[in-house]
Amino acid sequence: MNPKIINLPKILDKRGNLSFFEHSNQLPFAIARTYWIYDVPGGEIRGGHAFKEQQEFIIALSGSFDVILNNGKKDELFSLNRSYKGLYVPKMYWRSLENFSTNSLALIVSDKLYDATDYIRDFEQFKFLKN
């Protein structure tokens, strides 16, 4: 699979809107882990790695940020700024999260538990493995 924006259900209500995601209606994987990134100082970059096996789904629950994905040959930028749109990130894509707005909140769900051996933290090694 390729990275893609997934539009989530949006239930409109005058009392406040509601969105959700479920496996397998919206997500192409079962969720094993959930984490979030917040209070990112201006100009900081998060990520800067790839996963050998892990897949992720990233949502901007609040604020906005950019996700830059690299497939080993080129970058692709995804701007996340709506809580009813998320980005599916397959395994073996280098990812960086940048340009966080004030008070932004990134929610990430993945199909694997944390495993340090699944990370590729060197970009040249990633390109070698990818190609």
Side-chain angles (χ1 to χ4, degrees):
M1 283 184 89
N2 292 320
K4 66 179 179 177
I5 295 291
I6 296 174
N7 294 311
L8 301 174
K10 184 166 68 166
I11 300 168
L12 303 175
D13 189 303
K14 65 182 178 185
R15 300 168 298 162
N17 301 331
L18 181 142
S19 290
F20 61 91
F21 53 86
E22 301 171 333
H23 171 259
S24 63
N25 292 326
Q26 289 83 28
L27 298 186
F29 59 82
I31 298 168
R33 182 168 68 121
T34 302
Y35 63 98
W36 46 99
I37 299 170
Y38 58 98
D39 292 342
V40 179
E44 288 297 322
I45 297 172
R46 297 297 312 242
H49 58 262
F51 295 106
K52 296 172 194 166
E53 296 299 326
Q54 182 172 293
Q55 305 172 79
E56 293 185 323
F57 182 65
I58 304 172
I59 302 172
L61 285 183
S62 180
S64 64
F65 52 89
D66 295 331
V67 181
I68 295 91
L69 298 180
N70 185 290
N71 65 1
K73 295 184 186 330
K74 65 177 180 140
D75 286 342
E76 187 171 3
L77 184 140
F78 296 88
S79 292
L80 297 179
N81 58 13
R82 299 282 185 253
S83 58
Y84 52 87
K85 291 180 182 278
L87 175 62
Y88 167 67
V89 183
K91 66 182 182 178
M92 289 302 291
Y93 274 81
W94 189 268
R95 69 170 187 76
S96 296
L97 284 70
E98 306 179 359
N99 301 319
F100 286 86
S101 68
T102 302
N103 295 322
S104 59
L105 172 58
L107 176 71
I108 298 104
V109 296
S110 66
D111 68 335
K112 306 273 188 252
L113 298 177
Y114 175 78
D115 177 2
T117 64
D118 192 42
Y119 282 72
I120 304 168
R121 298 187 186 274
D122 178 87
F123 187 66
E124 293 305 316
Q125 179 190 16
F126 162 74
K127 287 196 307 186
F128 176 78
L129 293 171
K130 185 74 176 183
N131 299 314

